Amino acid sequence: MSTELSESQDLNGLEQATDGTSRLTDICSGTVGNSMASIAEYYAGKSVLITGATGFMGKVLVEKLLRSCPEVKALYILVRPKAGQSMQQRVSDMMKCKLFDRVREDNPDFYQKIIPISSELTQPGLAISPEDVEKLSACINIVFHCAATIRFDEPLKHALQLNVIATQQLLSLAHQMHHLEAFIHISTAYANCNRKHIDEVIYPPPVEPKKLIESLEWMDDGIVRDITPRLISDRPNTYTYTKALAEYVVQQEQHRLNIGIIRPSIVGASWQEPFPGWIDNFNGPSGVFIAAGKGILRTMRANNDAVADLIPVDVVINLTLAAGWYTAVHRLVNGKTPGSLSRCEWLILGREGGRNPLEQAFRRPNANITSNYLINQYWILVSHKFPALIYDLILRLTGQKPQMMRIFNRLHKAIGLLEYFSSQDWEWNSENMSMLMSQLTPEDRKTFNFDVRQLNWPEYIENYCIGTKKYVLNEDMSDIPAARQHLRKLRNIRYTFNTLLVVFIWRVFIARSQMARNIWYFVVSLCFKFLSYFRASSTLTN
Ligand SMILES: CCCCCCCCCCCCCCCCCC(=O)SCCNC(=O)CCNC(=O)[C@H](O)C(C)(C)COP(=O)(O)OP(=O)(O)OC[C@H]1O[C@@H](n2cnc3c(N)ncnc32)[C@H](O)[C@@H]1OP(=O)(O)O
Ligand SMILES: NC(=O)C1=CN([C@@H]2O[C@H](COP(=O)(O)OP(=O)(O)OC[C@H]3O[C@@H](n4cnc5c(N)ncnc54)[C@H](OP(=O)(O)O)[C@@H]3O)[C@@H](O)[C@H]2O)C=CC1
């Protein structure tokens, strides 16, 4: 708690500061009696509602609950039909996923505990049928709200609809639940990325959500698009803006519900559970690793003095389940911040590349990280645009449709959206997380481990890259020799191309002019003298 604020404590142990922030202190001083149930014991016999269960983090949450809390009574998951697939089809596909292999081994009937509820979160009442509302009201004990749009370029209206209005509606539903013990909301560490130091507090919202919702209601999409930059102001995108509003909306319910907020940073592949390297999407670092591994991404802007706040998905989920247990038992509002007690350097992220090559790379993987805008632009021109132009030219000449420039334009758009996060540094306070860790029994500390200080970053990043290869691109590890062979072919093409380029430059520019020849001989003799000098000095030192 910062000393300069004058604060008064409310009934829930949540303190209201004069600057409008709310923070917790009781949590930090809270102690857990020996008689308190372990995490798995707590979830035994409980009915859990999960939104976003078909998403990246939601799936890991479902899997971990089923595996490590086998006595959990039922998992109600809100799912919508999508891309021509019914809700049932989607859920049965999800359960066939490799992620669930370990649960399947332990309990082949695990799917019986999963109860899908049809819901479209952008619809009034979340489009849940009255019968389902009744069912949920009667039995749910804990809610985990993971669903959100995480796209950085989402139009404001849609981001507001899903990240804020749907959260409000879910909170209304939560009020009807007779046996609710905890409501856990997944936010993001970057909800307040317009600040350099982020505390475990809910900051005042950039605008009163109710007013914004009312005003956007009558505006057409064009007007909303025009005013979006003014509204989001010093935040980089509609995602972080609406997640900040959602935190405020959740906080408004602090007196009536037991609320926990988790703020993960950049969530990456799993570290250990259910197996290392599990990942299923192109978001954030995954897309970067893939683009770099395919030899498409050769340069990216990141601040090497900063650290990458990457956190494995299994760590976030362990923390989330522990927070659910703690929030329910202590009946306190709590705020959790991101997890990086140990933080990863950008250079470690950048180093992984060619060890487990991807198939059919465009060029040899060799991505550079630079913090300098101009150097980055130079490499974009030389290493991205120029090869793309040549490749497209070859495609055109062979009667095919050019495509490389289009791919690079998409890549530049995506990387441009990530740069805000890779070229800055934030400081987060994570006392609540350390406190929570101290409250776990030794057994829970193993089963629901979220202490990333034990994480070996280079090994984790290597597993992460293997994970993107196996689970995102569906490439076979047995094809690695062929991928290496392909890279050797690309290297030979590069040598041949460079040699031809030198010969071309010589023939066109140097061989034709006396002055150019003189300059050329001068540069070559200078290089030769330097080489001789270094050879002589190294012989001397030996
Ligand atoms: C130099 C090396 C080493 C350095 C490494 C380190 C890098 C770290 C980077 C820093 C990350 C910072 C993340 C910020 C963290 C905020 C955390 C959060 O709270 S929130 C969490 C963070 N949130 C985010 O990260 C969201 C960020 N993403 C977005 O906002 C959008 O995806 C977009 C605007 C970037 C592109 O939109 P758009 O152009 O409309 O494209 P769509 O998305 O619609 O995809 C279309 C299709 O393409 C597919 N595909 C996609 N990518 C790739 C790829 N790289 N390749 C191949 N394919 C790819 C995709 O599967 C899809 O296929 P299909 O389904 O159609 O078959
Ligand atoms: N991934 C990351 O790096 C980080 C994520 N977070 C937060 O974690 C949470 C989960 O993120 P993540 O799992 O990565 O996101 P995903 O995009 O993988 O999953 C989003 C989930 O929300 C559901 N959803 C989206 N729109 C709707 C809708 N209209 N109706 C019903 N369901 C909908 C999706 O369902 P469907 O399958 O039907 O589309 C999906 O299950 C989010 O709240 C995010 O803000 C925070 C920090 C970092």
Side-chain angles (χ1 to χ4, degrees):
M1 181 170 37
S2 51
T3 45
E4 72 274 17
L5 306 177
S6 115
E7 293 164 324
S8 64
Q9 197 155 0
D10 73 16
L11 290 174
N12 262 336
L14 187 111
E15 294 177 351
Q16 280 299 336
T18 47
D19 64 353
T21 63
S22 305
R23 88 169 58 223
L24 270 180
T25 52
D26 267 16
I27 266 197
C28 302
S29 59
T31 50
V32 178
N34 286 340
S35 59
M36 193 169 146
S38 71
I39 298 181
E41 279 167 1
Y42 168 70
Y43 285 104
K46 297 278 163 42
S47 294
V48 179
L49 176 70
I50 301 173
T51 70
T54 48
F56 170 48
M57 283 168 50
K59 280 202 281 265
V60 181
L61 176 64
V62 169
E63 194 277 341
K64 177 71 181 177
L65 257 172
L66 291 168
R67 183 163 47 83
S68 298
C69 307
E71 298 303 317
V72 67
K73 189 171 172 196
L75 305 186
Y76 290 83
I77 60 175
L78 298 191
V79 187
R80 56 177 172 169
K82 193 177 166 186
Q85 276 196 307
S86 70
M87 174 191 76
Q88 290 294 356
Q89 270 172 318
R90 294 192 68 203
V91 176
S92 84
D93 280 357
M94 175 180 122
M95 286 185 289
K96 283 184 207 138
C97 165
K98 182 168 170 53
L99 180 74
F100 290 89
D101 280 0
R102 273 180 73 183
V103 185
R104 207 173 292 116
E105 250 170 53
D106 296 348
N107 173 16
D109 296 330
F110 76 95
Y111 56 87
Q112 288 176 352
K113 290 202 173 175
I114 299 180
I115 304 168
I117 301 281
S118 176
S119 169
E120 166 55 65
L121 297 181
T122 53
Q123 295 300 310
L126 308 175
I128 305 180
S129 72
E131 299 76 44
D132 284 338
V133 169
E134 209 171 297
K135 192 158 59 176
L136 297 174
S137 308
C139 71
I140 295 300
N141 304 110
I142 305 121
V143 176
F144 290 104
H145 180 33
C146 298
T149 167
I150 64 167
R151 293 182 66 95
F152 294 155
D153 62 344
E154 196 71 79
L156 182 59
K157 251 189 185 177
H158 188 251
L160 193 72
Q161 185 71 45
L162 193 51
N163 294 350
V164 185
I165 302 175
T167 303
Q168 266 175 344
Q169 297 203 54
L170 190 67
L171 285 161
S172 307
L173 179 63
H175 283 303
Q176 299 173 43
M177 296 174 181
H178 309 304
H179 308 289
L180 189 70
E181 294 169 16
F183 183 105
I184 304 297
H185 170 73
I186 311 292
S187 182
T188 163
Y190 299 100
N192 302 294
C193 59
N194 52 334
R195 295 168 182 269
K196 279 284 155 221
H197 181 94
I198 299 161
D199 262 320
E200 291 172 300
V201 298
I202 309 298
Y203 290 99
V207 56
E208 175 63 48
K210 196 164 163 267
K211 283 191 186 149
L212 182 68
I213 293 164
E214 280 167 7
S215 19
L216 294 197
E217 231 162 49
W218 61 265
M219 289 186 203
D220 70 31
D221 293 348
I223 303 178
V224 177
R225 200 173 43 241
D226 290 346
I227 61 167
T228 298
R230 295 285 299 276
L231 283 171
I232 65 173
S233 175
D234 52 359
R235 282 186 175 75
N237 50 46
T238 53
Y239 170 68
T240 52
Y241 180 75
T242 51
K243 288 300 265 189
L245 296 179
E247 281 195 359
Y248 177 73
V249 161
V250 172
Q251 187 224 4
Q252 295 304 292
E253 302 301 322
Q254 68 198 25
H255 300 289
R256 297 191 284 170
L257 299 171
N258 296 323
I259 285 170
I261 297 178
I262 313 286
R263 289 174 175 167
S265 44
I266 305 168
V267 183
S270 60
W271 169 25
Q272 291 165 320
E273 292 182 86
F275 44 82
W278 188 79
I279 178 80
D280 75 344
N281 61 63
F282 288 102
N283 293 330
S286 316
V288 175
F289 288 144
I290 291 170
K294 289 277 183 192
I296 298 172
L297 179 74
R298 312 274 292 189
T299 181
M300 183 179 166
R301 217 149 71 88
N303 181 358
N304 284 330
D305 298 328
V307 283
D309 271 284
L310 186 61
I311 185 111
V313 62
D314 45 341
V315 170
V316 178
I317 294 308
N318 287 345
L319 174 71
T320 304
L321 288 172
W325 157 82
Y326 191 89
T327 306
V329 172
H330 280 254
R331 305 204 166 272
L332 285 175
V333 181
N334 59 28
K336 302 275 176 296
T337 43
S340 312
L341 286 180
S342 144
R343 303 168 90 194
C344 182
E345 291 164 22
W346 284 107
L347 283 175
I348 296 182
L349 288 185
R351 228 174 278 148
E352 173 62 36
R355 246 174 299 183
N356 299 289
L358 302 180
E359 290 167 20
Q360 292 305 317
F362 173 61
R363 291 183 69 195
R364 284 173 70 78
N366 182 17
N368 283 306
I369 290 180
T370 173
S371 53
N372 187 304
Y373 173 79
L374 287 177
I375 293 178
N376 189 46
Q377 287 304 313
Y378 169 78
W379 285 117
I380 284 181
L381 195 70
V382 172
S383 283
H384 288 181
K385 293 195 171 161
F386 186 55
L389 273 175
I390 293 184
Y391 191 80
D392 277 354
L393 186 70
I394 294 170
L395 288 180
R396 264 184 220 279
L397 292 176
T398 52
Q400 296 170 70
K401 209 172 148 213
Q403 49 160 330
M404 224 47 218
M405 214 48 199
R406 200 171 42 87
I407 292 178
F408 273 102
N409 286 339
R410 272 186 64 189
L411 178 75
H412 292 150
K413 178 187 165 198
I415 295 295
L417 292 169
L418 298 183
E419 259 175 16
Y420 176 89
F421 301 94
S422 59
S423 49
Q424 300 187 58
D425 206 6
W426 286 266
E427 263 176 44
W428 281 282
N429 193 355
S430 55
E431 277 165 24
N432 278 343
M433 200 185 71
S434 312
M435 179 283 306
L436 185 59
M437 208 179 301
S438 73
Q439 303 291 335
L440 302 189
T441 63
E443 198 49 45
D444 277 349
R445 236 174 269 177
K446 276 193 221 141
T447 316
F448 299 91
N449 179 19
F450 50 87
D451 185 354
V452 276
R453 282 173 300 193
Q454 303 154 9
L455 195 151
N456 175 334
W457 283 108
E459 186 185 288
Y460 169 69
I461 299 300
E462 185 173 357
N463 284 333
Y464 192 159
C465 289
I466 293 175
T468 54
K469 180 175 171 65
K470 282 177 22 183
Y471 312 118
V472 182
L473 299 176
N474 291 319
E475 292 186 5
D476 209 319
M477 292 302 276
S478 62
D479 291 340
I480 284 185
R484 290 215 175 98
Q485 176 66 30
H486 178 70
L487 292 187
R488 276 195 290 275
K489 198 172 94 189
L490 290 176
R491 185 197 54 195
N492 294 340
I493 291 175
R494 199 185 85 206
Y495 286 161
T496 314
F497 179 80
N498 287 352
T499 313
L500 288 176
L501 193 68
V502 169
V503 171
F504 176 77
I505 291 171
W506 171 265
R507 296 285 307 171
V508 173
F509 299 106
I510 298 176
R512 288 185 181 184
S513 137
Q514 183 59 42
M515 197 163 83
R517 266 203 312 272
N518 289 345
I519 294 171
W520 171 255
Y521 289 133
F522 175 72
V523 171
V524 171
S525 68
L526 209 62
C527 291
F528 186 71
K529 276 182 194 151
F530 263 116
L531 272 178
S532 324
Y533 170 77
F534 281 119
R535 203 177 296 154
S537 60
S538 70
T539 321
L540 278 179
T541 41
N542 285 340

